[in-house]
Amino acid sequence: MCESLEESVSFRVATHQDLQAIVQMLADDNLGLKREDPSTPLSHSYHTAFEAIDADPNNELVVAIIGHHIVGVLQITFIPYLTYQGGWRALIEGVRVSKEIRSSGIGRAMFEWAINRAKERGCVLVQLTTDKLRPDALRFYEDFGFVASHEGMKLKL
């Protein structure tokens, strides 16, 4: 019997050597193309950001791997709060699955992993934002059980 893509995926913390592949995935859609620059060599700003994420024990940049290929990425940030009786929450951002295998179950596997990771860290809540121009992503998150309970706002600087 053939193993499904979802069953063959594994997860690990990203390394500096993964950075080019990660940025290429982040840029591989209409919105990402407007924000990211995957040209080689990568801008120094990506390296600086990676180093800051990697050095912070409350940040994990995680890649999904099939064989030796990076097929997905997400960043999970663990945030202490006074609300929820001093509970921690996990913020999931920068989620991408390689264009060639979207809708194959990899995204579901990534979120199952991330939610379990949040539980391991003692989080009481998992939160995320998604661009309103990504209706498929919104449906995915809702199907997963996320609820649009708050109105998110951002201020570009």
Side-chain angles (χ1 to χ4, degrees):
M1 178 178 270
C2 221
E3 186 177 30
S4 74
L5 287 179
E6 188 176 355
E7 293 169 339
S8 64
V9 69
S10 62
F11 303 94
R12 65 169 171 75
V13 172
T15 66
H16 210 170
Q17 290 75 22
D18 301 327
L19 197 52
Q20 184 75 47
I22 290 169
V23 173
Q24 285 175 329
M25 266 193 292
L26 292 173
D28 195 17
D29 68 17
N30 291 339
L31 293 174
L33 246 161
K34 295 174 186 174
R35 297 187 294 231
E36 308 304 337
D37 178 9
S39 60
T40 304
L42 283 178
S43 166
H44 183 69
S45 61
Y46 288 114
H47 296 278
T48 301
F50 177 86
E51 289 163 11
I53 293 165
D54 195 45
D56 183 345
N58 290 318
N59 268 291
E60 294 177 4
L61 185 62
V62 176
V63 289
I65 306 289
I66 295 178
H68 297 291
H69 301 286
I70 297 172
V71 296
V73 64
L74 63 78
Q75 182 173 340
I76 185 167
T77 303
F78 304 101
I79 310 166
Y81 276 80
L82 289 177
T83 59
Y84 288 89
Q85 301 176 31
W88 283 69
R89 60 183 73 187
L91 173 65
I92 300 173
E93 290 286 330
V95 178
R96 292 291 189 287
V97 172
S98 182
K99 186 182 260 183
E100 299 79 30
I101 59 168
R102 288 184 189 145
S103 299
S104 68
I106 299 300
R108 179 161 291 282
M110 288 171 58
F111 264 78
E112 288 170 354
W113 182 92
I115 290 168
N116 285 330
R117 182 70 181 119
K119 289 176 184 176
E120 289 172 8
R121 288 284 303 253
C123 294
V124 298
L125 186 109
V126 176
Q127 64 188 33
L128 57 82
T129 62
T130 189
D131 196 294
K132 291 180 179 187
L133 297 175
R134 290 191 166 131
D136 292 340
L138 180 60
R139 277 190 300 278
F140 170 80
Y141 299 135
E142 289 172 339
D143 287 348
F144 216 90
F146 285 86
V147 177
S149 61
H150 293 68
E151 185 71 27
M153 301 174 78
K154 295 185 179 189
L155 174 65
K156 279 190 173 182
L157 303 176

